[in-house]
Amino acid sequence: MMTTPFEAFSFAKRIPSTPSIGSTTVTKPDHIHLSFGFAAPHLFPIEELSQAAYEAVSLHGRTALQYSGSGGPRKILEWIQNRSLVHGIQAELPQILVTYGSTQGIDIAARILLDPGDHVWVESPSFFSALQAFRAAEAVITSFPIDEDGLRVDLVENALLEARRQNKPIPKFVYTMPTYHNPGGVTLTTERRARLAELAETYNFFIVEDDAYSELNFTGNKYPPLYTLLPGRVIYLNTFSKIIGPGLRLGWMIADRRVIDKARLLNLGGSIGVFTQEILAQLLDRLAFQEHVDQLSQHYHKQRDIMAEAIKSSFGDHVTFHLPEGGFYIWLRFGEAVNTSDFLREAAERGVSFVDGKSFFAKPEGYHYARLCFSYVSEEQILRGVNILADAYFAYEEQRLFGVTKQRHL
Ligand SMILES: Cc1ncc(COP(=O)(O)O)c(C=O)c1O
């Protein structure tokens, strides 16, 4: 039977084109994935999870496998409530919504706050999946730079003043990753947090606070979640992906009850995988959580140090970066004339992947940046991967500057 070619069909225009990010499609077995923002697989709590899964089936299977309306296991909500308190966030249970990872939380926030043509302000760089969600919501995206202290709130303030003066649109929300930014690695200072919260109050917009990494803290320094500063105007998002495992696809949203009630309306199929939630509930019951995150933080801290040293010795003064206080990433800044997309393939052929800078920006910019991730790979792979990457970069530089390929010498 002949089928009409897809070209003749018009899919919904709001679906954005999805360029492949970095060289994440490479699947050679010995490939070193400095591109993957994945958790370290050897630190998944496998033993506890298998016990938890057994008990979820044997003790709770008959309810957990049933349709559940909009409810999930209360235990998860209570766990989130208690853990949030450790970070100063007070929330009633109806203010907590379990989501299909925090990416779904971003998407829900966009869908309940935005009409097509509404304005969203983001950091540049920003998280690529968030940019995709905002494009799919047909929002107008405006970005503001970050520096060592996080989002340049002073520039946001100037833009708000200007918008008010010229009767231009105020954003419906600002999307930010204040703690251990992806990809920037930077953290918003307490002063800037306070100012951003004041601005949201004064100018009547929401803040979507994406807090995926704050449990992975290498310094002990603490920063107040934006939610604690302005609970009525912050949609707080977090995830089990970085602290348990991303394959669970479970995260959560905390917000004013009226916001959560709207968000619930979007969960058309009922709550997010109640059966998976039940496994997680059983796990959280038996996992010494603080010890677990301390172990993760220690591991990632060590990985960060190894990667930072490897970058310094392989790249010398060809790159600068901020040493992150937590999270998964080091964000390299090359000379302005460098385009990291131009040696992506060269690096992939030599056996290493990274994410080129442009993937993190709403506009065509950021070409001289690259994101490396230290969480997924082993110590040995970090050392080898950074070295290979430097070889690829120096080969590209020689070619770019002199039109020849020579050996690396710092
Ligand atoms: C800032 C940020 N938010 C959200 C996510 C996605 O988390 P989830 O797996 O919960 O969807 C990531 C994952 O890389 C992230 O870096």
Side-chain angles (χ1 to χ4, degrees):
M1 194 178 72
M2 286 281 288
T3 52
T4 319
F6 262 172
E7 292 70 40
F9 182 82
S10 159
F11 284 94
K13 291 191 185 52
R14 69 175 175 282
I15 307 299
S17 59
T18 45
S20 74
I21 304 289
S23 49
T24 47
T25 46
V26 176
T27 50
K28 276 185 254 159
D30 59 343
H31 201 81
I32 301 174
H33 295 286
L34 301 182
S35 55
F36 285 5
F38 288 10
H42 72 281
L43 294 176
F44 291 150
I46 293 289
E47 291 279 299
E48 294 90 339
L49 262 170
S50 61
Q51 261 298 315
Y54 175 76
E55 285 189 7
V57 179
S58 57
L59 301 180
H60 303 277
R62 290 187 199 285
T63 36
L65 284 165
Q66 197 50 276
Y67 280 120
S68 67
S70 62
R74 194 183 159 88
K75 271 191 196 165
I76 298 246
L77 296 177
E78 286 170 352
W79 184 90
I80 293 169
Q81 185 180 45
N82 289 331
R83 188 67 198 171
S84 301
L85 271 179
V86 174
H87 301 288
I89 295 177
Q90 292 186 23
E92 301 299 325
L93 296 188
Q95 288 180 260
I96 304 172
L97 178 73
V98 173
T99 58
Y100 186 79
S102 51
T103 310
Q104 194 209 19
I106 297 169
D107 190 46
I108 290 177
R111 293 209 281 149
I112 61 174
L113 298 179
L114 297 173
D115 286 313
D118 277 344
H119 287 244
V120 177
W121 290 7
V122 302
E123 291 145 337
S124 56
S126 187
F127 175 43
F128 36 70
S129 300
L131 295 177
Q132 278 186 15
F134 305 151
R135 287 187 190 116
E138 300 176 67
V140 179
I141 305 172
T142 306
S143 41
F144 293 84
I146 57 171
D147 64 15
E148 297 273 299
D149 292 331
L151 173 65
R152 288 281 307 273
V153 175
D154 58 326
L155 298 182
V156 172
E157 181 165 4
N158 291 346
L160 287 165
L161 275 168
E162 199 56 25
R164 180 157 282 176
R165 203 167 28 213
Q166 299 192 18
N167 215 9
K168 284 197 178 149
I170 298 289
K172 294 297 274 300
F173 65 86
V174 170
Y175 166 76
T176 176
M177 292 161 277
T179 309
Y180 321 143
H181 187 278
N182 172 13
V186 295
T187 296
L188 192 66
T189 59
T190 304
E191 296 72 33
R192 287 191 189 180
R193 286 171 194 245
R195 189 66 194 134
L196 185 61
E198 281 166 10
L199 292 172
E201 172 104 84
T202 310
Y203 286 87
N204 188 25
F205 58 85
F206 271 86
I207 297 171
V208 175
E209 176 175 26
D210 187 347
D211 198 26
Y213 299 94
S214 63
E215 292 283 6
L216 307 175
N217 177 338
F218 309 154
T219 62
N221 293 344
K222 296 259 164 62
Y223 302 88
L226 287 161
Y227 183 88
T228 63
L229 305 175
L230 192 64
R233 275 314 168 101
V234 175
I235 298 182
Y236 174 88
L237 305 174
N238 210 326
T239 177
F240 288 101
S241 290
K242 317 294 171 180
I243 49 180
I244 304 291
L248 281 172
R249 306 311 304 130
L250 289 173
W252 67 95
M253 172 186 281
I254 298 179
D256 185 281
R257 202 174 163 158
R258 287 162 295 180
V259 172
I260 296 293
D261 286 346
K262 289 207 182 297
R264 272 187 221 290
L265 295 175
L266 293 179
N267 272 350
L268 298 180
S271 331
I272 299 305
V274 174
F275 183 61
T276 325
Q277 286 194 56
E278 190 57 58
I279 297 175
L280 179 62
Q282 296 300 319
L283 173 76
L284 294 171
D285 241 9
R286 54 175 46 77
L287 187 69
F289 184 75
Q290 190 57 54
E291 267 171 44
H292 174 69
V293 282
D294 287 348
Q295 194 194 4
L296 294 180
S297 300
Q298 270 169 26
H299 174 73
Y300 293 133
H301 186 176
K302 190 161 143 243
Q303 301 273 103
R304 177 207 69 176
D305 287 346
I306 291 166
M307 181 173 270
E309 278 313 306
I311 292 168
K312 283 186 206 149
S313 73
S314 295
F315 284 93
D317 60 4
H318 284 250
V319 296
T320 53
F321 61 91
H322 171 84
L323 193 66
E325 287 183 35
F328 278 6
Y329 309 105
I330 292 187
W331 181 231
L332 296 182
R333 182 195 168 101
F334 290 82
E336 296 272 344
V338 170
N339 182 346
T340 60
S341 310
D342 287 348
F343 57 93
L344 202 65
R345 180 173 289 278
E346 175 71 28
E349 274 163 14
R350 291 171 185 247
V352 65
S353 68
F354 66 99
V355 188
D356 48 343
K358 72 174 191 315
S359 307
F360 300 92
F361 292 82
K363 289 186 299 192
E365 58 177 321
Y367 296 97
H368 61 298
Y369 289 92
R371 189 192 78 177
L372 306 190
C373 178
F374 49 78
S375 56
Y376 177 62
V377 282
S378 68
E379 214 173 294
E380 183 275 325
Q381 286 176 314
I382 292 179
L383 296 172
R384 203 152 45 86
V386 169
N387 201 35
I388 294 173
L389 183 60
D391 280 340
Y393 161 71
F394 282 105
Y396 153 83
E397 267 302 76
E398 295 284 1
Q399 186 66 33
R400 187 176 70 83
L401 296 173
F402 310 113
V404 289
T405 308
K406 286 201 220 139
Q407 284 304 308
R408 161 154 60 114
H409 42 82
L410 288 173

